[in-house]
Amino acid sequence: MADPIKNSDISPEKPLDVCARRIIIRYFHEMMSHKEGASDGSNIEFVHDMRVASRRLRAAMDNFAVCFEPEQFKKLYKQVKIITQTMGTVRDLDVLIRRFRTEMALMPIAEQKDIESLIEHLQEKRIVERKPMIDLFKSLDDSKFENDFLKFFEVV
């Protein structure tokens, strides 16, 4: 989890663009702090946390868009939106699998076999759907997205 913004970092006395930059960078760090865990895949909460953080980042970017040069801002915003969408596909499968496992535990043994087959199918689909997420992470690393994002929003 990223460090919280200190009260002294944002205040009514500071220019709006400075406060906006600090807020956006904070949410960006929050989002990226979950990337390694999401890549690993052993704990589904990393995917959830990264997706939530990406949505918060997009909300902050929406609120402060007027503070930034539109062309580069739109490129970075679009990339964050792609991250959110890619994470959403994997997260939806994680939620379904967890829900069916919970429901299965409450069912008679005779009905559990069908649910187990469904869970196996969803797990296979999850493996397939994680590939675009992993590819996206590699693409972000290769393109120096993190560096470009932080450079664009750095407080000057």
Side-chain angles (χ1 to χ4, degrees):
M1 179 176 227
D3 294 330
I5 297 173
K6 298 176 188 147
N7 287 340
S8 61
D9 289 342
I10 57 172
S11 71
E13 292 79 34
K14 301 210 184 235
L16 178 61
D17 70 310
V18 170
C19 295
R21 289 171 191 280
R22 288 184 174 143
I23 291 168
I24 288 170
I25 287 172
R26 195 264 180 220
Y27 282 125
F28 181 79
H29 284 302
E30 173 72 24
M31 179 183 75
M32 297 304 283
S33 74
H34 303 293
K35 188 176 99 172
E36 187 175 324
S39 294
D40 173 70
S42 59
N43 182 341
I44 66 171
E45 294 308 314
F46 285 107
V47 171
H48 172 66
D49 293 343
M50 187 168 182
R51 182 169 180 254
V52 168
S54 73
R55 292 175 70 175
R56 289 178 179 152
L57 172 58
R58 282 178 45 212
M61 291 175 78
D62 284 336
N63 287 328
F64 299 119
V66 298
C67 298
F68 303 100
E69 184 274 314
E71 188 176 331
Q72 182 65 16
F73 180 89
K74 286 179 184 178
K75 288 178 188 175
L76 295 170
Y77 183 89
K78 182 178 179 183
Q79 194 62 58
V80 175
K81 186 174 182 177
I82 290 169
I83 292 168
T84 305
Q85 291 167 337
T86 304
M87 303 302 291
T89 303
V90 176
R91 177 63 182 166
D92 290 346
L93 289 167
D94 288 341
V95 169
L96 277 174
I97 291 166
R98 183 171 51 195
R99 172 136 190 217
F100 282 123
R101 281 187 177 143
T102 302
E103 294 293 325
M104 186 176 76
L106 303 173
M107 295 180 162
I109 300 291
E111 295 177 19
Q112 288 184 11
K113 187 167 181 93
D114 292 334
I115 299 300
E116 184 60 43
S117 294
L118 177 59
I119 291 171
E120 287 173 15
H121 170 75
L122 291 171
Q123 287 173 323
E124 289 169 9
K125 187 171 178 156
R126 183 181 183 267
I127 290 168
V128 170
E129 293 298 335
R130 280 182 47 77
K131 184 173 180 350
M133 182 185 76
I134 300 303
D135 291 346
L136 174 63
F137 291 165
K138 182 173 180 353
S139 171
L140 293 176
D141 290 343
D142 292 347
S143 71
K144 309 286 190 247
F145 169 71
E146 186 169 359
N147 185 55
D148 293 346
F149 191 98
L150 293 173
K151 186 173 183 171
F152 181 79
F153 287 105
E154 72 185 344
V155 177
V156 287

